[in-house]
Amino acid sequence: MSDELIWRIAGGSGDGIASTSQNFAKALMRSGLHVFTHRHYPSRIRGGHTYVEVRASADPVKSRGDGYNFLLALGDSFARNPQEDAYYGNEEVKPLSENLDELREGGVIVYDSGLLDPSEIPDFEERVEENDWHVYDMDLRSLAREQGREVMRNTAGVGVTCAITGIPLEAIEELMRDAMPEKILEPNLEIMQTAYDLVNEEYDVDAPDVSVPTGDHDEEQVLMSGSDAIAYGAIDEGCRFIAGYPMTPWTEVFTIMSQNLPELGGISEQVEDEIAAAALAIGASHMGVKAMSGSSGGGFALMGEPLGLAEMTETPLVLIEAMRAGPSTGMPTKPEQADLEHVLYTSQGDSQRVVLAPGTVAEAYDASRRAFQLAYEYQIPTMIIYDQKLSGELTNVPASHFDREPNADIGMTLTEEELAEQPHTGDGKFHRFQHDGEDGVSPRSVPGQKGGRFLATGNEHNPAGHISEDPDNRVAQMDRRQRKLDAIRTDLDDDGLLVEHGPSDADYGILTFGSQQGTVEEAVDRLNENGTSVKALTVGELAPYPEEAVRAFLDSVEETLVVEMNASAQFRGLTQKELGTHGEQLSSLLKYNGNPFEPREIVEGFTTNVVEDGELPGNETKFVPAAGD
Amino acid sequence: MSAFSAIGEEREIDRNEYTPDIEPQPTWCPGCGDFGVLKSLKGALPEVGRTPEETLLVTGIGCSGKLNSYLDSYGFHTIHGRSLPVARAAKLANPDVEVIAAGGDGDGYGIGGNHFMHTARENHDMTYIVFNNEIFGLTKGQTSPTSPKGHKSKTQPHGSAKTPIRPLSLSLTSGASFVARTAAVNPNQAQRILKEAMEHDGFAHVDFLTQCPTWNKDAKQYVPYTDINESDDYDFDPTNRADAQELMRETEDKLYEGEVLTGVYYRDDERPSYQQEKQNIGEMPDEPLAERYFDDDYEWERSYDSFIDKHK
């Protein structure tokens, strides 16, 4: 019996896969387990093969895990329209056929025999026998149709799951009562109970084939995604203005903020394009309001222009970049970490910005709060770069992590009283861009304040704000703006944005950033259990780059493998650029097929390439040797 | 007490208050129409009762963008074509501030055309002045969206094959609730129209014909202008949308040939501004959002109290 359940619910988009899995995950979390979800979906509204995995274990889980051990093949992947016999696509058996490769030995298959016919899948019976899979064929469609509506077959599937794994129905019922209106609650409850009973009547499930472990939390947990966490971090920092244009997966943060801001007295604006979106955030921030915008790769490309404006006018600005696979529109619903260079270097001139890269849901909340603090304290654009994986994955986090004081401080902004006393008003005018402060920050005023009149311009300007091409002024202004980054680097040193994992005296290292943190850490644990001495460093601060800390890490090991989800080893390139050394020590493990790493791929990649100097077994991942090889 | 005591201050305002103390001499060419915009704006602001410190002038790039170097208010000189989105958000963040956006015809009708259409559609409460000289001036004389068909320039050596954009019609169709055209050579009318535009509660678009003595000498910027609001020949009612549309069509056809009509073409004082619409549906705070950040007593909500339960 396995010590963890990895439940994969598969079907077509629009089959309720996401909501069902979310409820299921929450029920498992409430029962005391640690959970982690992984979502795979196509770029279409209805139909198309989609699945969600819910991993549950008594011990903390940090990734999707390797493969899975319970398949609920819920419906076909057809899209239907209301006309009888009108179908789109040709995906009759995908929920079953597409998911068998990663199902573990001894795993369970439940399929909806009302919709799926395994005789259409080559060698199905042989594979079942070979892998010792336990198959349950249930006519979930008919069952749902008889007692309610066909679409409720997802509830029937959950009932079957509970019967097979030994999960008490009460846990799920409670959630359904919270989430469903009375009218559809009753039939759903009946359908779940009937399905549950049916399994017990037709199969011998006294000793479950796959069971659910039992666990207990030390403290109350909440189920949250990276997008939830970023939105809540922003709200807690007093962000009350958001402007955006929908684009997957950024839309998640935009939606959460838009749904909640009006109740909090804030403003959300969906606008004509991403240039406008970032420009609106700048306009609101200029007025003294905490504001944000963001997008994903293609939309963020349009923001390069206003980003530079924020830098030059020193207007605080927080931008979110939710990466997905590119180039261009790429793979809209698939994760990748290939916008790193795009975010670091977009916009013309010697531009300055801060880039944070949270690795976990909890860190996403912290990074969001920190982004606002830095942007407003230093009057500089601050970006959070994360990806489709972290944006949508749900995991449990102690509720206490979010139990913190709000902070709406807008940084170095003067009050009218302070403006009246400012030494910046030598000639009777407020000198907004005065060269003072070691950290390069000049206090600002906002429109409507007495005594604070100034011009903000994207042209180079003198301390008073007037356009200037004077060479001495240019150098002084540029130097001052650059100085901010040194101050921020020092400021961030204590923030714990570098997370080390594994034995400190390890022989080898793995370096990664962002959403691969948890997967890498699981791999590191396994490698150490297997006798390989390795530790990991996840870098959560990409600009300014924490070169000293990374250098110390690299110096402490013989060789380091850089793990990232892109084809051109961008993070490794950044590290080498910033450090100017270690090229002969850094090899890369890359994955860019649209799926995030599984821990076993990192274990394999590390073992074969770094330890044994061999070749990778599969073509899912790619190994790039160190420059000195 | 408000954190912004400059707002709503009632006192006599001298137009010279808008002149920067340390004068950056305007770098516009002698005879440039932009001087006319500056002059009429300096005249209109005191008439509306707006002090420099409660005024935010947001500009784009080009000769027109230099306006806020010479008009001493709060200013934001943005980037090519982006004055409107910056101005919109500024107004939403603090509706008590007088927000004026300004830019050229390339800036406003070309690169910023999308923003123009949407700002008009949403009817944001602001004034938008477009310096229309039918040319790109600061980049040295290229054909602009308002240049007449056949206009020759270094970038269109065989003459433009494009018919010019119709700013007034575009504005009206998009949803602007105040559409006017004036000209730099008519300072009295320009000042009157700018005043009306600023007092209008909604998006007020002023197409401001300005002459470019350096790059567009051929443009008929000095022709006599007829004021449709004052001419007995027209007996024109600007609240009549159909009439406005008809007259716009006429003048936009004839602009490059004969009589040029100016004045307030259209005004709809009934249509609520975007801010009002947003307030009506509960998506806009009653008090200026910007005020809250200066209020030490304001109790900020936090996500833990508001949302955590649904994640448990």
Side-chain angles (χ1 to χ4, degrees), chain A residues 65 94 105:
Chain A
K94 273 198 167 179
E105 253 185 55

Side-chain angles (χ1 to χ4, degrees), chain B residues 36 56 70 100 104 175 202 205-206 217 229 233 239 258 287 296 305-306:
Chain B
L56 175 67
Y70 316 134
I100 301 161
H205 168 221
V206 181
K217 288 197 185 71
N229 306 118
D233 296 346
T239 62
E287 299 297 317
D296 292 337
D305 302 318
S306 306

Side-chain angles (χ1 to χ4, degrees), chain A residues 26 30 223 232 236 238 265 268-269 272 280 305 403-404 416 427 429 449-453 456-457, chain B residues 5-6 9 22 53 72 74-75 77 82 88-89 114-115 274 278 292-293 302-303 307 310-312:
Chain A
K26 201 187 257 189
R30 283 188 184 178
L223 188 70
Y232 295 161
D236 288 350
S268 166
E269 280 287 290
E272 59 270 26
L280 260 93
E305 192 192 57
D403 187 5
R404 297 193 225 166
E416 291 191 342
D427 50 17
K429 280 288 149 55
Q449 281 182 318
K450 209 162 205 161
R453 242 188 296 172
T457 168
Chain B
S5 68
E9 200 181 5
I22 304 172
E53 298 197 315
D72 195 10
Y74 274 99
H77 179 222
R82 313 304 170 206
R88 260 150 66 183
N114 194 25
H115 308 311
Y274 182 63
K278 249 179 120 66
R292 204 183 299 169
Y293 292 85
R302 54 184 198 144
S303 64
F307 313 113
K310 71 175 182 196
H311 295 278
K312 283 179 179 170

Side-chain angles (χ1 to χ4, degrees), chain A residues 335-348:
Chain A
E336 211 168 80
Q337 294 180 299
D339 290 349
L340 174 58
E341 291 185 342
H342 178 43
V343 169
L344 286 173
Y345 308 124
T346 190
S347 190
Q348 68 273 32

